[in-house]
Amino acid sequence: MKTKSILYIAVLGGALSMGTARAGMLTFDLDVEFSGATPPAGTAPWISATFDDSFGGANTVRLTMSATNLVGVEFIDDWYFNFDPALNPNNLSFALQSGQAANGVSTGFDAFQADGDGKFDIKFDYPPPPGSFAAKFTAGETSVYHITYTSAIDVNSFNFPSVPGGGQGTFLSAAHVQGIGATGNDSGWIGPGDDNGNGEPPQQIPEPGFLALFGIGLMAAGATGIRRRRRVTRP
């Protein structure tokens, strides 16, 4: 029985270690206009970004950026993210998988400031060509990239707040949305936040494999406890 108990603990420990190493998915919902300008007209969150580390091996994370609730002629101009400060963002590479392509992706240590409200390490640049609305990253569209590093990374490698820039930050992500308002001439800076406009923890979803192993460990531990209690109560 002692050997079986050790096995159950090992299974549970293995599940926990897997959850730490590959955390699954991490979503940022950008639902606060933090610059004092005009917010987008649709229902917040207006846009969302999901990191998923179940694609492409240990060195790669998939990023899906979605213009979920933009409306009318609203479009994304720039989108900013952070990277583990212990690693070098300049060693990241980016490969478009589907959807709207950025005109460029730039990296640097705290190199990009979102309206003075935080310094970020990664910038996706989506300025549209003049007169071409079809080229804009606009309502209902997505942009999917694989992000690869020179060593192992996971979704938590992007789960860091921006460095304060003198404004309202910090934020886990930020974006500049244009085409806002009745005339389409307004713009605003948005990020994930709570009701007070402060940065908040993102939504994190463990991988199915981790949940399955965790459940097996708990069930096994529970079965062992039941058998032990029955032995104690037996005359």
Side-chain angles (χ1 to χ4, degrees), residues 24-110:
M25 290 190 294
L26 180 71
T27 296
F28 301 146
D29 288 322
L30 280 69
D31 55 2
V32 169
E33 203 295 319
F34 60 80
S35 68
T38 306
T43 302
W46 302 290
I47 63 177
S48 63
T50 296
F51 292 90
D52 188 338
D53 57 23
S54 63
F55 294 88
N59 292 18
T60 299
V61 171
R62 173 177 286 188
L63 170 61
T64 301
M65 294 167 280
S66 302
T68 315
N69 289 323
L70 296 185
V71 298
V73 298
E74 297 171 348
F75 65 93
I76 299 164
D77 186 2
D78 299 313
W79 203 327
Y80 302 80
F81 298 95
N82 302 299
F83 191 53
D84 187 340
L87 304 176
N88 187 348
N90 295 315
N91 290 336
L92 292 167
S93 59
F94 302 83
L96 179 70
Q97 301 301 299
S98 63
Q100 188 62 258
N103 284 2
V105 184
S106 303
T107 58
F109 289 99
D110 306 325

Side-chain angles (χ1 to χ4, degrees), residues 2-220:
K2 182 177 180 181
T3 301
K4 290 184 178 180
S5 298
I6 292 172
L7 176 60
Y8 298 147
I9 292 171
V11 170
L12 183 58
L16 291 172
S17 64
M18 283 182 61
T20 301
R22 301 293 283 179
M25 290 190 294
L26 180 71
T27 296
F28 301 146
D29 288 322
L30 280 69
D31 55 2
V32 169
E33 203 295 319
F34 60 80
S35 68
T38 306
T43 302
W46 302 290
I47 63 177
S48 63
T50 296
F51 292 90
D52 188 338
D53 57 23
S54 63
F55 294 88
N59 292 18
T60 299
V61 171
R62 173 177 286 188
L63 170 61
T64 301
M65 294 167 280
S66 302
T68 315
N69 289 323
L70 296 185
V71 298
V73 298
E74 297 171 348
F75 65 93
I76 299 164
D77 186 2
D78 299 313
W79 203 327
Y80 302 80
F81 298 95
N82 302 299
F83 191 53
D84 187 340
L87 304 176
N88 187 348
N90 295 315
N91 290 336
L92 292 167
S93 59
F94 302 83
L96 179 70
Q97 301 301 299
S98 63
Q100 188 62 258
N103 284 2
V105 184
S106 303
T107 58
F109 289 99
D110 306 325
F112 313 104
Q113 204 157 350
D115 191 49
D117 291 282
K119 298 178 181 179
F120 294 83
D121 305 311
I122 302 167
K123 176 185 177 183
F124 286 83
D125 187 13
Y126 287 101
S132 178
F133 184 76
K136 297 177 180 179
F137 188 0
T138 188
E141 294 185 331
T142 61
S143 180
V144 182
Y145 275 83
H146 277 187
I147 306 175
T148 302
Y149 193 61
T150 50
S151 60
I153 56 174
D154 61 20
V155 298
N156 284 316
S157 302
F158 303 88
N159 190 16
F160 290 87
S162 57
V163 171
Q168 293 189 45
T170 63
F171 294 95
L172 295 165
S173 179
H176 190 207
V177 176
Q178 298 200 52
I180 299 172
T183 63
N185 292 325
D186 296 330
S187 66
W189 289 88
I190 62 176
D194 59 22
D195 291 339
N196 296 315
N198 302 311
E200 68 176 4
Q203 302 173 22
Q204 194 161 26
I205 304 173
E207 289 181 350
F210 163 69
L211 292 176
L213 284 174
F214 185 77
I216 291 170
L218 290 178
M219 290 172 62

